[in-house]
Amino acid sequence: LLFPFPFSSSTSTYYFLPSPLVFSLSFSLPPPPASLRGDLMFCCGGGDDSPDMLDPNLVRISTQATKEARAECERDAKVVKLLLLGAGESGKSTIFKQAKLIHKNGFSHEERRSFIPVVHANTIDCMRIIVGAAPQLGVEIPPDFAELHRQLESLALATKEALTPPMGEVLKSMWEHPITQAIFSRKSEFLLSDQSDYYLSDVLRLSSPDYLPTDGDVLRARVRTTGIVQTEFKLKSLEFVMYDMGGQRNERRKWIHAFDHVQAVIFVAALSEFDQVLYEDEAQNRMEEALNLFSQIVNSRWFADTAIILFLNKKDLFEKKIEIKDVSDYFVDFEGNNRDFDATSSYFNDQFRSRVKNKDTLVYTHITCATDTSNIKFVFNAVITIILERTLKESGLQ
């Protein structure tokens, strides 16, 4: 009895014979599934394995499937799979956009236009969050500011959240108001996006009728990642596929779908968030969350042979924050100089590395600013070099 074996490619499922197989069976087999009847010919004989007994169509399908399988394996060998992992708000999506900017000729005119409503919504939301934080911080809103706020909401309703020049003027007055600056100076005490001062300090440009987002605007545009997003680019004869994974807790259960055959994990943690809490859990420090998540990733069986690259991100915001905030107030075992960038950043680097249980696991650390294209370009080149060296070593060519 000759019977077909299933073979699945990325697009189709074939039933084929890798080679003629002959069985002498003393028991009865059930009839083939109805889905196969009429589509495939079963060849029966008393032990005769003559090629003449094979269905020519089945042999043709088998040969074609084998060719496609071999071609797909060769293609996969030239594809480097990168995962961007980390907690929410760490800057993963900004790095993902940088990959497109650096390796895929940037953003088209239409892509930039598609970010206009996102930038507008981000800008308005930032001001709303600042105003909404006043009661929480015990700040009393003066009448003149309350009137500006009323004008903002009235205009936003009329324009369906699209920034217009009149709205820009109102937002500019609100941003420059002393009460806004007083609340903003306490931004670590409430949940405010990092791009707030970038957008609000330049709101007249953003609200002009001919506004088109710049690279900086697009990189800072905040859309919460849900599910898995991917981009492909080619570099040094290799195809790279980068996956951006939603970082909020309710998104992490989806990560496992992209864990197979990964050459490198880029784990992103924000240095500047050592004094902040999660959006989804205000009792949890963001840096502690990042450390716990990193521990799960780096010690996972999925990544036992995978390059682990740690991006300690938002170094620009971190440098400003440690001028006024003490790391030791949030991490009591830090005994260094709270104002020294090298001492504080090295402390957090050590904290991440201490979570690695397998001492043979190498962690490559880079301190990054995701919105700085030149910095990310330099880091990307270093990452690519690491991956290429590991690929050559594993193939025995180095």
Side-chain angles (χ1 to χ4, degrees), residues 26-296:
S26 60
F27 56 88
S28 299
L29 291 176
S35 59
L36 294 179
R37 297 171 194 165
D39 293 330
L40 297 171
M41 180 180 294
F42 284 74
C43 305
C44 301
D48 186 358
D49 61 352
S50 170
D52 294 338
M53 297 299 293
L54 295 177
D55 178 6
N57 289 329
L58 202 56
V59 173
R60 178 180 54 80
I61 291 173
S62 173
T63 302
Q64 180 63 27
T66 302
K67 287 182 179 178
E68 291 190 11
R70 185 178 294 112
E72 188 167 336
C73 288
E74 290 174 356
R75 286 195 301 270
D76 287 346
K78 295 181 180 179
V79 174
V80 176
K81 191 174 180 181
L82 307 175
L83 296 189
L84 274 173
L85 301 179
E89 311 298 320
S90 60
K92 298 187 310 301
S93 295
T94 306
I95 290 169
F96 184 81
K97 285 184 278 191
Q98 286 279 23
K100 179 176 178 60
L101 186 62
I102 295 168
H103 298 296
K104 296 189 71 175
N105 300 317
F107 305 102
S108 69
H109 182 83
E110 286 307 311
E111 286 173 323
R112 292 177 189 278
R113 284 186 57 82
S114 72
F115 277 98
I116 292 175
V118 178
V119 172
H120 285 181
N122 285 174
T123 306
I124 297 170
D125 286 346
C126 286
M127 182 54 71
R128 284 175 174 155
I129 291 169
I130 291 171
V131 175
Q136 172 188 335
L137 302 178
V139 176
E140 185 176 349
I141 298 294
D144 62 328
F145 188 85
E147 173 58 22
L148 288 171
H149 185 217
R150 186 197 65 77
Q151 292 177 29
L152 172 65
E153 295 301 344
S154 177
L155 289 168
L157 181 64
T159 65
K160 298 181 179 179
E161 306 289 309
L163 279 181
T164 61
M167 285 181 71
E169 292 291 348
V170 171
L171 280 167
K172 182 174 184 293
S173 297
M174 292 180 75
W175 173 244
E176 294 174 350
H177 197 286
I179 202 71
T180 301
Q181 295 304 311
I183 295 172
F184 182 74
S185 68
R186 299 171 63 183
K187 61 184 177 180
S188 64
E189 298 177 45
F190 59 99
L191 300 172
L192 181 65
S193 298
D194 294 325
Q195 75 270 24
S196 55
D197 54 338
Y198 173 87
Y199 284 147
L200 288 168
S201 62
D202 204 11
V203 69
L204 295 185
R205 176 178 65 84
L206 307 183
S207 59
S208 64
D210 58 349
Y211 168 65
L212 186 69
T214 64
D215 288 343
D217 298 343
V218 172
L219 290 172
R220 290 170 175 81
R222 181 73 185 103
V223 180
R224 185 166 294 180
T225 304
T226 57
I228 301 172
V229 185
Q230 73 178 68
T231 188
E232 301 86 20
F233 56 90
K234 190 169 184 177
L235 188 64
K236 296 182 179 180
S237 77
L238 289 176
E239 298 284 344
F240 287 80
V241 182
M242 179 179 283
Y243 296 85
D244 182 17
M245 327 284 276
Q248 276 71 30
R249 286 177 173 177
N250 63 333
E251 291 293 324
R252 295 175 198 168
R253 65 181 183 274
K254 305 172 186 176
W255 288 5
I256 196 170
H257 299 297
F259 280 4
D260 198 24
H261 303 301
V262 175
Q263 278 73 32
V265 168
I266 299 176
F267 189 93
V268 186
L271 281 171
S272 62
E273 295 181 347
F274 68 87
D275 64 335
Q276 295 174 252
V277 296
L278 298 181
Y279 274 103
E280 59 266 45
D281 181 2
E282 294 188 17
Q284 176 67 10
N285 177 280
R286 289 193 186 183
M287 182 62 81
E288 289 286 2
E289 178 81 356
L291 286 164
N292 293 336
L293 183 57
F294 179 77
S295 179
Q296 295 173 33

